[in-house]
């Protein structure tokens, strides 16, 4: 039985759980990762956050860092290109001639707030979502950096107005709601600041290289990985998770379990399962651009205004190009009318090309509906919909469960925070 006992068993694949797996294995912990090894990949939209830079320093490899790729915001008559040929201030003067000074000031303030906020989190050794000690430590660090709660929790939509024209506000709202894949009304200044601190930075991350790096280092540090499909269930006794049971009869015990994805939620006993109620799931649509010419004015990565905003990635293909679209559904997951509307909007964006859509949109898990308890969590950290502590000896290690509005930035923060918490708790 000794060979089947682990310090940590991780259930499910996410960027947060992969980061946690690597760092825990590096720290000498015995880790069993039940993920999806055949399909493991990192999100394409990963900004070079301070947390990610610290992660690369710990792993002794910064080869993943690249120049941030250009991306565009298309909103009405506005075509704002970030990280392109023109400097940002020139882009703002061209697209927002009457509001450019205000917009520049706004973005500088968000960058400053985001830098100070992320630094406070690093110095606090994680998100303030593991109990009173973490909350007190974070409150102390953020106040030392001049970050008041009222300023961080303020609605981002109100800050974007600031005397700007309706066209400018719409374009800025499209930018931030497209980055977060959430309505602008649901975002706080803290979330907007962290998003802009990452995506407004001229440094980016190669998702492919990061994927290779995490996979290589997990093996290097002797982490063990199995397929989530081979896991039958997770058993609990005395209100504590005890062991993972596999299809072949193998049983593995652990000091701590991490829930890394909603896919693994079904394996847990009922009282340990996360709330699976999803108000507006995420839609993922793939279209092949079979023929025709894509405008050379379009960047490879786009955010398209509308309800909801679309986040598009154009990918080269042997037969032309592919277009990968992510957005938040406007209705229940069973409603396929939203997918048809998205196809129509893409046809307008590529009027001279033939689009071959997948038969139906892929429904992905998305942020859960915000309950009264989760609303209280947002008073601990803006945008948080869950604590990291899911139960006795069970932690959430999935960004979309904890910080759904921050995308890859939230995943990295959650993964690092979980590791720091466990390093303080697990003793040999």
């Amino acid at each position: 039985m000794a060979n089947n006992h682990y310090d940590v068993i991780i259930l499910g694949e996410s960027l947060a759980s992969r980061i946690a797996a690597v760092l825990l294995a590096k720290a000498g912990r015995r880790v069993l990762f039940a993920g999806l090894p055949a399909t493991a990949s990192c999100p394409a939209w990963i900004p070079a956050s301070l947390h990610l830079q610290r992660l690369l320093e710990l792993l002794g490899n910064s080869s993943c860092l690249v120049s941030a790729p250009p991306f565009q915001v298309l909103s009405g008559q506005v075509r704002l290109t970030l990280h392109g040929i023109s400097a940002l201030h020139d882009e703002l003067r061209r697209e927002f001639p009457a509001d450019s000074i205000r917009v520049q000031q706004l973005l500088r303030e968000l960058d400053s707030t985001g830098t100070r906020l992320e630094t406070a989190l690093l110095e606090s050794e994680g998100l303030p979502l593991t109990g009173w000690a973490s909350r007190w430590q974070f409150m102390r660090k953020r106040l030392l950096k001049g970050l008041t709660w009222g300023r961080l929790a303020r609605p981002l939509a109100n800050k974007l107005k600031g005397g700007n024209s309706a066209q400018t506000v719409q374009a800025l709202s499209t930018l931030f709601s497209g980055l977060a894949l959430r309505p602008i009304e649901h975002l706080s200044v803290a979330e907007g600041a962290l998003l802009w601190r990452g995506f407004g930075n001229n440094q980016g991350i190669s998702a492919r290289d990061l994927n290779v790096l995490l996979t290589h280092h997990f093996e290097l540090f002797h982490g063990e990985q199995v397929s989530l499909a081979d896991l039958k269930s997770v058993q609990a006794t005395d209100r504590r998770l005890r062991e993972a049971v596999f299809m072949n009869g193998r049983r593995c015990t652990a000091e701590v379990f991490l829930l890394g994805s909603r896919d693994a939620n079904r394996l847990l006993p009922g009282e340990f399962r996360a709330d699976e109620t999803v108000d507006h799931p995420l839609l993922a649509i793939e279209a092949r651009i079979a023929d025709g010419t894509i405008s050379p004015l379009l960047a490879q990565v786009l955010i398209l205004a509308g309800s909801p905003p679309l986040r598009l990635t154009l990918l080269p293909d042997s037969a032309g190009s592919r277009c990968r679209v992510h957005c938040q559904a406007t209705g229940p997951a069973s409603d396929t009318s939203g997918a048809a509307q998205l196809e129509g909007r893409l046809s307008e964006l590529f009027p001279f090309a033939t689009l071959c859509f997948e038969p139906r949109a892929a429904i992905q898990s998305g942020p859960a509906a915000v309950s009264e308890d989760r609303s209280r969590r947002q008073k601990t950290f803006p945008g948080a919909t869950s604590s990291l502590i899911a139960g006795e000896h069970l932690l959430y290690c999935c960004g979309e469960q904890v910080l759904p509005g921050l995308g890859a930035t939230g995943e990295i923060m959650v993964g690092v925070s979980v590791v720091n918490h466990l390093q303080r708790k697990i003793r040999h």
Side-chain angles (χ1 to χ4, degrees), residues 34 40 102 188 193 212 215 275 301 410:
R102 281 189 293 269
S188 64
V212 172
T215 300
D275 183 6
V301 178

Side-chain angles (χ1 to χ4, degrees), residues 144-405:
L144 287 173
K145 298 186 184 307
L147 297 173
T148 64
W149 182 257
R151 180 178 181 181
L152 294 176
R154 179 185 176 189
L156 179 62
N158 293 348
K159 191 170 184 63
L160 297 184
K161 294 175 183 178
N164 293 318
S165 68
Q167 177 177 275
T168 299
V169 173
Q170 180 185 11
L172 293 174
S173 298
T174 297
L175 167 64
F176 286 99
S177 58
L179 292 176
L181 290 181
R182 286 170 70 84
I184 191 66
E185 295 80 13
H186 294 179
L187 296 177
S188 64
V189 167
E191 291 168 286
L194 290 170
L195 288 169
W196 181 249
R197 166 64 186 81
F199 287 104
N201 196 307
N202 288 325
Q203 199 169 51
I205 297 293
S206 167
R208 179 180 62 83
D209 291 344
L210 179 60
N211 180 58
V212 172
L213 179 68
L214 293 177
T215 300
H216 171 71
H217 277 72
F218 186 64
E219 296 172 353
L220 180 68
F221 300 134
H222 309 292
E224 298 180 46
Q225 184 159 5
V226 295
S227 174
L228 186 64
D230 294 335
L231 188 58
K232 182 178 180 181
S233 65
V234 179
Q235 303 295 325
T237 56
D238 298 327
R239 292 183 295 180
R240 173 184 170 178
L241 291 180
R242 293 290 181 179
E243 62 180 4
V245 182
F246 290 85
M247 296 295 184
N248 62 5
R250 181 188 180 194
R251 292 174 176 267
C252 299
T253 58
E255 298 297 320
V256 178
F257 289 81
L258 304 184
L259 184 63
S261 74
R262 293 183 187 278
D263 294 332
N265 199 37
R266 58 182 173 78
L267 300 169
L268 299 177
E271 65 269 27
F272 290 92
R273 291 182 184 175
D275 183 6
E276 293 186 319
T277 305
V278 177
D279 50 359
H280 295 309
L282 299 182
L283 285 176
I285 293 182
E286 184 125 339
R288 186 176 301 279
I289 304 175
D291 54 44
T293 302
I294 298 177
S295 171
L297 298 177
L298 294 179
Q300 192 172 7
V301 178
L302 308 162
I303 297 177
L304 181 63
S307 181
L310 307 183
R311 199 167 75 184
L312 299 85
T313 305
L314 301 179
L315 305 169
D317 188 270
S318 58
S321 299
R322 287 179 294 127
C323 180
R324 186 171 297 156
V325 186
H326 289 89
C327 68
Q328 193 173 45
T330 55
S334 59
D335 183 9
T336 58
S337 62
Q341 295 175 5
L342 295 182
E343 293 179 5
R345 292 170 63 185
L346 287 183
S347 297
E348 294 178 4
L349 184 62
F350 308 112
F352 303 109
T354 300
L355 300 179
C356 302
F357 293 94
E358 294 294 323
R360 58 176 20 177
I363 303 295
Q364 299 185 335
S365 59
V370 179
S371 65
E372 182 179 351
D373 177 65
R374 293 183 172 188
S375 179
R376 286 197 295 269
R377 292 294 177 195
Q378 295 185 5
K379 296 179 181 178
T380 303
F381 189 80
T385 56
S386 172
S387 168
L388 294 178
I389 308 298
E392 189 70 18
H393 302 278
L394 174 65
L395 280 78
Y396 290 131
C397 194
C398 176
E400 74 171 19
Q401 176 71 32
V402 180
L403 292 171

Side-chain angles (χ1 to χ4, degrees), residues 115-158:
T115 301
R116 285 180 287 152
L117 177 54
E118 195 170 0
T119 302
L121 289 169
L122 283 170
E123 294 177 355
S124 303
E125 297 188 339
L127 293 160
L129 299 172
T130 57
W132 285 106
S134 67
R135 297 174 195 175
W136 171 256
Q137 178 76 343
F138 173 65
M139 180 180 70
R140 179 172 165 271
K141 293 294 184 181
R142 68 171 172 79
L143 288 176
L144 287 173
K145 298 186 184 307
L147 297 173
T148 64
W149 182 257
R151 180 178 181 181
L152 294 176
R154 179 185 176 189
L156 179 62
N158 293 348

